[in-house]
Amino acid sequence: MTPTTELPAPPALAPLLARGALLSPFKRPRPDAAHPRTRLVLPALRVDTARLAAYERVCGFPTGFPAGSASPGDALPVTYPHVLGFPLAMRLMSGPDFPLPLLGLVHTSIRITRHRATPATGAYALTVYVDGLAPHRRGTQAAVVTEMRDGGDVVWESRSTYLARHRTSERPTGQREEEPRPLPAVDEWRLAGDVGRRYGAVSGDRNPIHLHPLTARLFGFPRTIAHGMWTVARCLAAHGTPDTAKVRADFRAPVLLPGTVTYAAQGGRFQLRGDGGRIHLTGEVSPL
C-alpha cells in the first residue's frame, strides 16, 4: 500500500531549498535508484486571492479579482495549480531519499489536463508524488505528478519531468528528435531583467539561476534566466485555454534576461523563439 502523508499547510519553501542545496553534492543520480514513494496531501487547500492576483499580473493573465471582489465564477489560470503543488514537490525533491540533486535540476516538460474549470474560491485536495525515474540521453529524469481534487473527483492534474544531467554509459537509441518548424509570429515581447525575481516572489520558486546574474553564472548561465513555468504561463495567457483541455509544453532552451522573444502560434500550437529563431518552448492546447 502506498504511504500517504497529510500536511496541515503547505511547507515553507526556504528551508526546503536550503536542505536540497546542502544535500545535492552527496546525490549520485542513476535511473535505477530508489525514489520516495510517499504521496503528500493537502486535504483542504484554499487559494490566497491576493497572491493569485499578483501571479496573474506577472504572467499576463486577466486579473480575476478586482479590488474587494471574489466572484465564484473566476477560474484559476490553467498553470496555477502547479504553483499550489510546488511546495509539496519541493519537499519530496529536497529530501534525502530523492536520488537526484536539487541544484542543477532542469524542468524539461509539463503535461496538464484540466477536466473542468476550477473556481478560485473553491476548496481543493492536492496530492503530489514522484512517479518514477527514467534514463535520458543526458542523464536521469524524474516524473512528478500533481493532482487536484474537488469532492473526490480529479479536476486538474499534471505530470512534470525534471532532468539531472550527468554522464551516461548508454548511447542514445532511436531517431534524433526533429527541430520543430517555426510557427507564424504573433507578437514580440521585451522581457525585463527582473522577470525571474518577480515570478519567484509570486510562485515561491527562488532558484538562484532566476534571481541574479552572479548566481546564474555559478551554474553556467551567462546571465539570469526566466522560469520555464513563467514562459509557458505567459504563452497560455496570450493563447487562451478552454475550461476542459490538455496542455503540453516542452522546455527546449533557457530564456536569458533581459531579452526579446517572439511569441508564435497557429491553431492549438504555440512557440517562444529567441534570437536567430532559436526555439525556447514548444506547446499545444487541445480540447478534451
Side-chain angles (χ1 to χ4, degrees):
M1 185 174 180
T2 303
T4 298
T5 299
E6 284 197 3
L7 304 177
L13 280 166
L16 298 178
L17 287 167
R19 180 177 72 170
L22 289 172
L23 292 176
S24 287
F26 304 100
K27 300 293 182 75
R28 298 293 180 265
R30 65 181 195 275
D32 60 345
H35 64 272
R37 305 285 178 172
T38 301
R39 296 185 176 218
L40 299 181
V41 179
L42 285 173
L45 179 69
R46 289 195 174 273
V47 175
D48 180 333
T49 56
R51 182 181 174 194
L52 169 61
Y55 172 89
E56 290 170 332
R57 287 191 293 270
V58 169
C59 297
F61 290 104
T63 303
F65 288 86
S69 73
S71 168
D74 290 315
L76 296 173
V78 68
T79 49
Y80 197 67
H82 173 86
V83 174
L84 298 176
F86 184 69
L88 279 68
M90 282 296 302
R91 175 162 163 170
L92 291 170
M93 292 192 292
S94 66
D97 57 345
F98 185 73
L100 309 186
L102 189 64
L103 290 181
L105 206 60
V106 179
H107 195 180
T108 54
S109 73
I110 187 168
R111 305 288 185 267
I112 297 172
T113 302
R114 183 164 68 181
H115 298 279
R116 64 170 174 79
T118 50
T121 50
Y124 301 101
L126 208 63
T127 302
V128 178
Y129 60 93
V130 178
D131 196 32
L133 306 179
H136 186 278
R137 68 183 186 278
R138 294 181 179 175
T140 299
Q141 194 164 256
V144 177
V145 172
T146 302
E147 298 171 344
M148 193 165 75
R149 287 178 168 80
D150 182 8
D153 297 327
V154 176
V155 294
W156 184 100
E157 56 189 317
S158 74
R159 181 183 178 89
S160 283
T161 56
Y162 297 90
L163 172 67
R165 291 175 288 188
H166 60 86
R167 290 184 178 180
T168 60
S169 58
E170 297 181 4
R171 293 183 179 181
T173 57
Q175 295 183 347
R176 186 179 181 87
E177 185 180 0
E178 293 185 5
E179 188 72 10
R181 293 182 179 180
L183 300 177
V186 175
D187 201 0
E188 185 176 87
W189 300 333
R190 294 186 178 181
L191 309 182
D194 67 345
V195 165
R197 292 189 293 275
R198 291 168 55 215
Y199 182 80
V202 298
S203 68
D205 185 354
R206 291 183 170 89
N207 188 317
I209 61 176
H210 306 303
L211 303 181
H212 194 278
L214 290 177
T215 52
R217 281 199 287 271
L218 292 176
F219 294 91
F221 298 101
R223 57 186 191 269
T224 313
I225 67 170
H227 295 73
M229 284 306 298
W230 178 84
T231 62
V232 68
R234 183 68 186 87
C235 287
L236 290 170
H239 188 278
T241 311
D243 285 346
T244 59
K246 288 187 176 183
V247 175
R248 170 190 63 79
D250 295 293
F251 308 111
R252 303 178 64 90
V255 175
L256 298 176
L257 300 171
T260 301
V261 292
T262 298
Y263 166 68
Q266 186 175 55
R269 294 180 297 150
F270 59 89
Q271 293 174 348
L272 203 62
R273 298 198 297 265
D275 294 338
R278 186 185 192 192
I279 296 179
H280 297 289
L281 168 74
T282 63
E284 186 173 9
V285 177
S286 55
L288 281 181

